[in-house]
Each structure stands twice: as structure tokens, then as C-alpha cells.
Amino acid sequence: MLPPVAPSPHWRHVVDGQQEMMCALTPDGRLIAHNAPFAQMFAGGVPPKNLWRWALLSPDARGVTLAHWEKEWAPYLIEECRLLRYQYPSEPAVRRLLADLANDPRMREVPRADSGLNGRVCSLRHARKGDGHVRVMVAEAASVRLVTLLFDGASTS
């Protein structure tokens, strides 16, 4: 597989045009672009620089924002990252991410999932909207992962 290409600066325009919480990521999780609704999900309105690292290694993600982290988020986030190993086997940033996850004792306790995040419904504590659920939609285009979070403060359907 070819290494990822440099992300286009036009992703910001694509992401800004969305109403739902959305971001564009490099394969290893670095934020390329995000829209205002995505930023509002975080206390202070500032998203993390690396979504995968934040979601898996940050105490804020584990204990606050990503509700029911151990059951609803972590297994699927880890599987999402494991898939990167096969998609980008020679990408140093992906290898570093996977090594850091392997060295975290808490990651070893997380059960294996049979799939990544795409289509999952997970609990979320939104900084402005409060508790609810998000349906996570993940797509990939030109070595960029697009993550859209469809927030529902009332139900999980």
C-alpha cells in the first residue's frame, strides 16, 4: 500500500459545510480540519490535536466526554486503530500510535471488538448539549478519515 498523501487544504471547506459534528483526520488521528459543532463538543471549544490519542489515552476522554468508555468506545476505537496497521503498514506515525497504545496497561484490559467505530451508537457527554448519544460515521477519502458524529440527546436509535 502507498503511504498517505499530504492532506488537501480544501478539507476545511468540506468539513465547515456540514451541520453535524465533523472532523477530518490523518491516518494516525491528527486533526486536519473540524467544524464549529465538533469544537463545541469539548470544554473550552478546543478539540484535541490528535483524536485517536485523546480518545484512548486522555483522562478527560476516558472519564468525562466519552461516557461508558470501557464498553462503548474503547474496544471500537482500538479496533479502528488496529485497522490502520493494515492500511498504512509503513507509516511511522501509525506505528508510533500503535506502540503507545500497546504500552498503555489500560489498553490491555479492553476486550477485542469485531469492528471499528463506523455506525456505532455511543454515549457522549457534550460540553454544551449535555448527555446524549452519537452515531459515529467514519469514511475515508484520499488517506483522510472523515468522522461525523450525529448527536441525539434523547434516544439511541
Side-chain angles (χ1 to χ4, degrees):
M1 176 156 286
L2 296 173
V5 296
S8 168
H10 302 290
W11 283 115
R12 180 167 311 287
H13 184 69
V14 171
V15 170
D16 280 344
Q18 303 303 314
Q19 293 179 345
E20 303 293 341
M21 296 181 282
M22 186 177 190
C23 67
L25 309 170
T26 61
D28 68 317
R30 284 175 287 131
L31 210 58
I32 297 168
H34 66 277
N35 61 7
F38 182 81
Q40 292 169 1
M41 178 176 74
F42 301 94
V46 179
K49 292 180 191 226
N50 187 303
L51 189 64
W52 298 149
R53 287 183 179 281
W54 172 83
L56 286 165
L57 302 172
S58 161
D60 179 56
R62 289 176 175 176
V64 180
T65 308
L66 306 180
H68 308 293
W69 180 86
E70 294 86 359
K71 196 166 95 178
E72 295 184 16
W73 288 96
Y76 307 98
L77 283 161
I78 291 171
E79 194 59 33
E80 199 73 37
C81 292
R82 283 185 183 124
L83 295 171
L84 297 173
R85 173 180 30 205
Y86 301 106
Q87 291 176 293
Y88 304 100
S90 60
E91 176 61 29
V94 169
R95 288 197 312 264
R96 277 192 304 277
L97 171 65
L98 293 171
D100 290 347
L101 295 178
N103 288 329
D104 186 307
R106 191 158 178 189
M107 294 298 110
R108 290 190 282 268
E109 298 173 12
V110 174
R112 282 293 296 243
D114 58 356
S115 66
L117 282 172
N118 190 39
R120 304 265 339 139
V121 175
C122 304
S123 300
L124 181 80
R125 288 187 189 103
H126 192 286
R128 290 193 180 177
K129 297 178 181 181
D131 289 351
H133 297 89
V134 290
R135 181 169 302 275
V136 183
M137 305 304 294
V138 180
E140 188 167 357
S143 302
V144 172
R145 227 180 218 118
L146 301 170
V147 178
T148 304
L149 302 170
L150 307 173
F151 187 80
D152 183 347
S155 71
T156 61
S157 57

